[in-house]
Amino acid sequence: MANIKVSNLFKEVKPSPMLQMFEAASKYTDIISLGIGEPDANTHESIIKAAADAGKNGFTHYPPVNGFLDLRQAVSQYWEEKYGLESTPDNVIISAGATQAIYLVLQALINPGDEVIVPDPCFTPYMQAIEYVYGVPVPVSLKEEEGFNMTAEALEAKITEKTKIVMLNSPGNPTGAVISREEALKVADVIKKHDLILMSDEIYEAFIFDGEHVCFATLPDMQERTFTIAGFSKTYAMCGWRVGYAIGPKNIINIMKIINIGTTMSMNSISQKAALYAIQNCESEVDKMVEDYSKRVEYAYERINNIKGLSCIKPKGAFYIFVNIKETGMKSMEFGMKMLEEARVITIPGISFGPNSDDYVRISCTIPIEQMEEAFNRIEKALS
């Protein structure tokens, strides 16, 4: 029998608490999931028709490695019209979801031992992607009393001579935090002071309930050092189509294009044509979805703060709530398993999102209010 040895990088790899929770849930019936981080709506039928038409019209061959020109033009136009970010198609690369765009930036820029500052809590794959390119993730603990936003002071305290990239996410997953323009300017000043690179994950830019979305690349003297990450999964309910992108300095985007030849080669042709139709024609559908999610988030916020042992601050964007469970006396995995076993409700342990987030769980407001009501009824009963 062959003695196949796993790579040293992956021999200690373990499933995240998030994956463990979903695997544990597969044993039960009558489950209500507050864990899924994607819109519950199906992709709009007009987008699906655009994809079918593209297939019928011959878009079944290899596309350009960096994405179709018309889609890159549309992405560039979208960000200029909506946020004032001036770019050309050469500044854009289309990727297999926003997660791949993040990975391509890291592959292009990180040398072994380089430090990447990340928020804690943060989207779980940030840490994995940094480690996969032999970088060192440096978490900055976000404070609930500061709205779960990274402050300039907290960022400054973590910078060393090895720091190369700062990763930010607003609106944020798992917190729903939205950074103010005032604080964003202060953070940008720290990044410029230390000559760092910013990777700004703005995948939830359309989901703003309170305040405004700040596009970091439009702040003074930030465009030359910023990679804006976004995509179609959340905004257009297209998670399964896997279309994301990065906007950044064209010399690095070109390197990412070359790297992509050795990974996915190019992005799905038909999905790109569906995405092109969506970004050009579906803003009214986006507005309806955001309005609906705003109501769901408002309901969940009120309900959580009326359950003994739980509390939360009101999210300003995205569709998540980071629930404080300290008063229950449980850490996040214990709480999550209790809710699964006794209430048949899936929540995501905070430890999934960073080492300093074990006193929280994430819930997603991605199911109808009627289902959320039943889920919270079950949680309240289990905690009583």
Side-chain angles (χ1 to χ4, degrees):
M1 184 175 180
N3 181 23
I4 300 175
K5 295 183 179 180
V6 176
S7 158
N8 289 337
L9 182 61
F10 296 107
K11 66 182 181 181
E12 301 295 333
V13 70
K14 297 177 182 178
S16 71
M18 182 188 300
L19 181 57
Q20 292 176 47
M21 191 61 61
F22 283 120
E23 289 179 344
S26 66
K27 299 183 294 185
Y28 298 99
T29 58
D30 191 27
I31 291 288
I32 299 177
S33 179
L34 296 175
I36 300 297
E38 67 168 315
D40 57 331
N42 292 327
T43 304
H44 194 266
E45 60 185 13
S46 64
I47 300 173
I48 297 171
K49 182 180 183 302
D53 290 345
K56 292 174 184 176
N57 291 329
F59 287 98
T60 56
H61 302 277
Y62 285 126
V65 174
N66 55 344
F68 283 123
L69 176 60
D70 54 3
L71 180 56
R72 290 184 287 121
Q73 287 174 327
V75 166
S76 180
Q77 183 178 354
Y78 175 91
W79 283 82
E80 182 171 1
E81 291 179 354
K82 197 167 183 182
Y83 300 112
L85 174 57
E86 296 182 1
S87 65
T88 72
D90 290 338
N91 297 110
V92 180
I93 184 169
I94 306 300
S95 56
T99 304
Q100 195 211 9
I102 290 169
Y103 192 49
L104 286 172
V105 173
L106 293 170
Q107 283 181 302
L109 296 177
I110 291 297
N111 291 309
D114 284 345
E115 293 179 351
V116 181
I117 293 177
V118 296
D120 178 4
C122 70
F123 179 48
T124 308
Y126 289 178
M127 302 279 196
Q128 293 172 301
I130 294 164
E131 291 171 348
Y132 291 172
V133 297
Y134 297 96
V136 180
V138 178
V140 175
S141 183
L142 306 183
K143 300 184 185 308
E144 186 173 359
E145 58 269 27
E146 294 171 341
F148 290 119
N149 279 305
M150 189 181 292
T151 65
E153 293 78 14
L155 172 59
E156 181 94 53
K158 291 290 185 175
I159 293 172
T160 73
E161 61 181 15
K162 294 182 179 181
T163 306
K164 188 166 188 179
I165 296 176
V166 177
M167 295 181 70
L168 295 176
N169 178 208
S170 178
N173 175 11
T175 63
V178 174
I179 195 167
S180 69
R181 183 168 294 273
E182 179 183 11
E183 192 61 48
L185 287 165
K186 293 177 182 177
V187 168
D189 285 344
V190 173
I191 290 170
K192 288 181 288 186
K193 172 184 172 183
H194 294 277
D195 194 23
L196 302 177
I197 299 159
L198 172 64
M199 183 151 25
S200 184
D201 182 353
E202 301 179 22
I203 187 74
Y204 297 97
E205 50 86 19
F207 292 86
I208 296 287
F209 311 131
D210 182 8
E212 63 168 332
H213 175 66
V214 177
C215 175
F216 266 91
T218 65
L219 300 181
D221 302 317
M222 283 298 291
Q223 185 168 0
E224 64 183 16
R225 64 178 70 248
T226 300
F227 292 85
T228 302
I229 308 295
F232 293 80
S233 293
K234 318 300 183 180
T235 307
Y236 302 102
M238 294 179 67
C239 290
W241 300 75
R242 309 312 303 132
V243 189
Y245 53 85
I247 308 171
K250 64 175 66 176
N251 62 319
I252 306 300
I253 293 293
N254 190 56
I255 292 170
M256 291 163 62
K257 178 176 72 172
I258 296 168
I259 293 170
N260 200 32
I261 295 172
T263 54
T264 61
M265 179 62 76
S266 54
M267 179 49 214
N268 182 298
S269 296
I270 292 174
S271 289
Q272 288 191 63
K273 291 304 178 182
L276 176 64
Y277 179 88
I279 201 170
Q280 292 179 334
N281 297 280
C282 293
E283 286 310 299
S284 62
E285 297 301 323
V286 175
D287 292 342
K288 291 176 188 175
M289 184 165 62
V290 173
E291 183 180 358
D292 185 33
Y293 277 45
S294 176
K295 293 174 183 175
R296 295 182 185 188
V297 167
E298 180 70 32
Y299 170 80
Y301 164 75
E302 296 287 348
R303 190 67 195 274
I304 289 165
N305 282 303
N306 280 297
I307 297 176
K308 186 176 181 181
L310 304 183
S311 64
C312 66
I313 60 174
K314 184 181 288 188
K316 294 185 176 183
F319 38 67
Y320 305 109
I321 298 182
F322 214 41
V323 182
N324 188 320
I325 60 170
K326 290 178 185 177
E327 288 189 14
T328 69
M330 291 180 274
K331 293 299 184 181
S332 61
M333 197 67 187
E334 180 187 359
F335 180 93
M337 290 306 299
K338 179 180 176 67
M339 292 305 104
L340 179 60
E341 293 169 357
E342 298 182 18
R344 299 292 191 267
V345 174
I346 300 175
T347 58
I348 304 301
I351 195 66
S352 298
F353 305 103
N356 298 311
S357 297
D358 209 8
D359 291 323
Y360 297 85
V361 295
R362 188 194 77 177
I363 70 160
S364 299
C365 301
T366 51
I367 58 175
I369 287 176
E370 295 76 19
Q371 291 183 37
M372 280 200 287
E373 181 179 15
E374 173 61 21
F376 288 128
N377 287 344
R378 295 182 185 186
I379 289 172
E380 191 165 28
K381 182 178 180 181
L383 289 176
S384 66

